[in-house]
Amino acid sequence: MEAAEGRRAVAAARAAAVSCGLTVEDAAVLHDSNKLTLRLLPCDVLARVAPEAQQVARFEADLAERLAASGCPVAVPDPRVGPRVLGRDGFVVTLWTYYAPVAPDGVAPADYAHALERLHLGMRTLDVPVPHFTDRVAQAQRLVADRDRTPALADADRALLAGTLRDLRRTIVEHGGAEQLLHGEPHPGNLLATGGGPLFVDLETCCRGPVAFDVAHAPEEVAAHYGGLDQGLVRACRTLVLAMVTAWRWDRDDRFPDGHRLAGEWLERIREARSD
């Protein structure tokens, strides 16, 4: 967020927590992107703050509680507040349980795969209206096709991304097979290593598709520990996901640190994958 917007977001989080009877004397920023993530003390809750127009907070909080009730490894709203969505000054605030990190090196591949399998097992039991994964691919395709939105993307790179998104979307759809509710972006940044085991966060990107699409967001070593996968499909999904993420980094409004440098590296990885 811009500095002024960020200050307003922090104030909104503090006010929302106080309105729920929690004591707030300090707010530490943990993550700043399209939404702000804060640790509020001494009540020790995690506050997520998003502009009102961009949020899916109600969906995310309710789904987290349903998944946790099914035994899924997910972070949950703070029990003192529950899945309430609090509006303040043009922002929406949700208050979550704060989980202290316990493994600075991240989650081991086997544990990562087991947690993802448990998440998928629980998700399989829910009927939730979400976009199809191809809808998210289509968003990336529209971005790549829009030169005004991606003015720094070179023509050859634009053609590479457009062709990769088109071809691999078709390959994965034509592969067929079972589809289900997915996390949508279960990458390492959305998996917490806690004292109670790995927990997934950020459910706002949920979609429907093959489990290989989710596994493709995890480190490559994880796929070897996830049972019953078509590894060829995982590889196709991995390259598709990389193309999607690369497209987002070229968005003129993207604020990801060092995004263009990373996108350039990812373009080379896509070229290598497409030439195999």
Side-chain angles (χ1 to χ4, degrees), residues 153-233:
L153 184 58
D155 287 346
D157 296 335
R158 190 182 304 276
L160 173 66
L161 284 177
T164 300
L165 292 165
R166 179 194 63 238
D167 295 346
L168 292 182
R169 171 180 170 171
R170 181 187 305 122
T171 295
I172 295 164
V173 169
E174 291 178 352
H175 181 276
E179 295 189 347
Q180 68 160 80
L181 180 65
L182 303 174
H183 181 288
E185 289 187 357
H187 54 67
N190 283 336
L191 184 62
L192 304 179
T194 78
L199 297 176
F200 287 98
V201 300
D202 286 2
L203 299 169
E204 63 182 26
T205 55
C206 282
C207 59
R208 188 168 185 82
V211 295
F213 182 78
D214 259 5
V215 176
H217 287 77
E220 292 187 15
E221 300 84 359
V222 172
H225 296 277
Y226 192 111
L229 286 177
D230 181 327
Q231 295 298 333
L233 181 61

Side-chain angles (χ1 to χ4, degrees), residues 57-246:
R58 171 62 64 192
F59 167 84
E60 184 177 20
D62 287 345
L63 180 59
E65 291 219 320
R66 291 179 66 185
L67 289 170
S70 298
C72 291
V74 295
V76 296
D78 186 277
R80 292 168 290 181
V81 180
R84 294 171 62 184
V85 178
L86 305 157
R88 290 289 187 283
D89 192 22
F91 295 97
V92 291
V93 181
T94 47
L95 301 173
W96 298 76
T97 300
Y98 175 76
Y99 301 92
V102 297
D105 295 330
V107 178
D111 295 334
Y112 199 134
H114 180 57
L116 193 52
E117 286 182 304
R118 288 175 55 210
L119 178 66
H120 287 155
L121 181 62
M123 284 184 153
R124 216 165 284 149
T125 67
L126 299 183
D127 183 14
V128 179
V130 294
H132 195 259
F133 85 96
T134 54
D135 295 329
R136 300 190 60 211
V137 179
Q139 292 175 354
Q141 289 178 296
R142 288 192 292 271
L143 186 61
V144 170
D146 189 341
R147 293 178 181 274
D148 290 336
R149 289 279 306 278
T150 53
L153 184 58
D155 287 346
D157 296 335
R158 190 182 304 276
L160 173 66
L161 284 177
T164 300
L165 292 165
R166 179 194 63 238
D167 295 346
L168 292 182
R169 171 180 170 171
R170 181 187 305 122
T171 295
I172 295 164
V173 169
E174 291 178 352
H175 181 276
E179 295 189 347
Q180 68 160 80
L181 180 65
L182 303 174
H183 181 288
E185 289 187 357
H187 54 67
N190 283 336
L191 184 62
L192 304 179
T194 78
L199 297 176
F200 287 98
V201 300
D202 286 2
L203 299 169
E204 63 182 26
T205 55
C206 282
C207 59
R208 188 168 185 82
V211 295
F213 182 78
D214 259 5
V215 176
H217 287 77
E220 292 187 15
E221 300 84 359
V222 172
H225 296 277
Y226 192 111
L229 286 177
D230 181 327
Q231 295 298 333
L233 181 61
V234 174
R235 286 191 293 273
C237 287
R238 196 176 299 281
T239 303
L240 176 67
V241 167
L242 186 59
M244 293 167 63
V245 175
T246 302

